[in-house]
Amino acid sequence: MIEKLNDAEKKYEGMNERLSDPAVVANQEEFRALMKEHKLLTPIIEKFREYKEAMQRVQEAEELLSESNDADLKELAEEEYKIEKERCAVLFEELKILLLPRDENDDKNVIVEIRGGAGGEEAALFAGVLYRMYTMYADMAGFKTERMSANETELGGFKEISFMIEGDGAFSKFKFESGVHRVQRVPETETQGRIHTSTVTVAVLPEAEDVEVALNPSDLVIETCKASGAGGQHINKTESAIRIVHKPTGIVVECQDERSQHKNKEKALKVLKTKLFDMKQAEQHDKIASERKSQVGTGDRSERIRTYNYPQGRVTDHRIGLTLYSLENFLNGNIGEMIDALITADTAEKLKNSEY
């Protein structure tokens, strides 16, 4: 590992030189790629340099212990040796985590799709609850959200809704939310106070960049129509809604949230590219079974990942066995503790399977 880190440090120093080269700066594509790689490498090199400094102090303390005859100096050297030795062990573990294979999508924006599952109107209402929860968390975390499309119900729920979350590291925070979310509560429409169980599916897709997905215009069927459903009344008189069918895959994307047909088309194409990118990645991941074993969840949308129990005020994540008795607070966007626990569990799994 140390040998790899020494090689990485030499590479990093070479990158610093290239970043100050006018020829590289003039080539925007090369410069952006280099800056991205430099940004990823910086925390590793900084931590490695901390480790080397601590190791140097350990060696100096060892030398003082073996060479000095002064009792007071030896006592100080022994204390220094103990402190720096412990610090080296901590830094070494931190380096192991930093060197784990990184998800190349972690820094990307995401498109989140929420769909009501079993439970009819109650599932649609809970889809709205989850949408509110995610947007509140995104706001607290400093991310920007933008609604892409929605199919509202008369009671204010959503049969389905998709929205984008923009910001550095968005995918790293939301990627473990993919799957089936189960809710147990007394529905607003229930007259006898019985608890019902409903489900909502969530899909979290890393936004595709143009270089990753190329669309052939001949593969697309683009239709315009009038917006419909609750919330679409302001644009029902004009054909501003867009429906795109990708013929090779059969994927259908609709967008009607904007008044402008051009903006709806732009959003729909963005969603389509992201879905095609997700499909491409899923095929790649299926070929690497070992990678799935080192993840908290597979991201499979049929996997039941969490239960929200209203009568008992608890939320349980089934993948890591964590239960929080603060459901109201959780649904108000305070989901950071759960997300951090999922990231920690995933990191621990990857460390078990790492070569270090």
Side-chain angles (χ1 to χ4, degrees), residues 142-167:
F143 297 124
K144 177 186 172 186
T145 58
E146 179 185 6
R147 200 156 97 166
M148 307 295 284
S149 65
N151 185 351
E152 291 185 58
T153 64
E154 293 300 323
L155 293 182
F158 296 101
K159 289 181 180 176
E160 58 184 68
I161 181 167
S162 65
F163 56 102
M164 176 170 280
I165 300 172
E166 296 179 272

Side-chain angles (χ1 to χ4, degrees), residues 32-272:
R32 276 196 299 270
L34 193 59
M35 280 296 292
K36 185 176 180 180
E37 191 178 1
H38 185 271
K39 181 183 175 184
L40 293 175
L41 205 49
T42 296
I44 297 171
I45 300 306
E46 287 178 348
K47 189 68 66 180
F48 181 48
R49 287 173 176 171
E50 275 186 67
Y51 174 77
K52 287 199 298 182
E53 286 171 10
M55 282 297 294
Q56 179 64 33
R57 284 193 284 272
V58 166
Q59 289 169 9
E60 288 170 358
E62 282 179 328
E63 288 171 8
L64 196 55
L65 279 168
S66 64
E67 295 171 5
S68 177
N69 294 317
D70 187 301
D72 291 336
L73 271 178
K74 289 190 82 164
E75 187 179 342
L76 286 171
E78 194 169 337
E79 183 66 20
E80 175 81 0
Y81 175 82
K82 184 181 176 182
I83 291 170
E84 294 302 328
K85 194 74 174 175
E86 288 176 358
R87 187 160 177 263
C88 282
V90 170
L91 289 169
F92 191 77
E93 290 303 311
E94 290 175 352
L95 277 168
K96 280 164 67 175
I97 291 171
L98 287 170
L99 287 171
L100 286 174
R102 195 172 182 278
D103 190 330
E104 61 187 17
N105 295 317
D106 272 355
D107 291 330
K108 290 185 178 180
N109 300 330
V110 297
I111 289 178
V112 180
E113 295 181 334
I114 304 175
R115 285 188 171 84
E121 186 64 52
E122 168 64 3
L125 286 169
F126 192 64
V129 171
L130 289 185
Y131 170 61
R132 175 179 175 272
M133 178 184 83
Y134 288 135
T135 52
M136 289 180 78
Y137 170 70
D139 185 55
M140 285 187 271
F143 297 124
K144 177 186 172 186
T145 58
E146 179 185 6
R147 200 156 97 166
M148 307 295 284
S149 65
N151 185 351
E152 291 185 58
T153 64
E154 293 300 323
L155 293 182
F158 296 101
K159 289 181 180 176
E160 58 184 68
I161 181 167
S162 65
F163 56 102
M164 176 170 280
I165 300 172
E166 296 179 272
D168 193 25
F171 186 72
S172 70
K173 293 293 186 183
F174 284 90
K175 63 183 177 182
F176 296 118
E177 294 303 300
S178 283
V180 176
H181 295 241
R182 183 175 68 168
V183 58
Q184 295 171 323
R185 67 179 180 178
V186 178
E188 294 176 21
T189 53
E190 171 60 52
T191 56
Q192 297 180 33
R194 291 174 298 188
I195 296 171
H196 287 228
T197 297
S198 305
T199 61
V200 171
T201 61
V202 175
V204 179
L205 316 175
E207 183 189 14
E209 296 172 10
D210 288 338
V211 293
E212 294 167 325
V213 177
L215 290 177
N216 186 339
S218 64
D219 289 339
L220 307 179
V221 176
I222 301 176
E223 302 169 348
T224 60
C225 54
K226 291 179 182 177
S228 60
Q233 293 85 345
H234 64 288
I235 48 176
N236 273 341
K237 295 179 182 177
T238 60
E239 292 201 345
S240 58
I242 291 289
R243 183 175 187 268
I244 301 178
V245 180
H246 185 248
K247 290 188 286 185
T249 60
I251 292 174
V252 178
V253 175
E254 296 178 353
C255 192
Q256 64 178 33
D257 265 32
E258 299 287 348
R259 295 173 185 265
S260 158
Q261 187 184 105
H262 174 73
K263 285 184 179 178
N264 279 327
K265 182 180 177 183
E266 191 177 283
K267 281 187 176 182
L269 285 170
K270 188 176 287 189
V271 173
L272 176 59

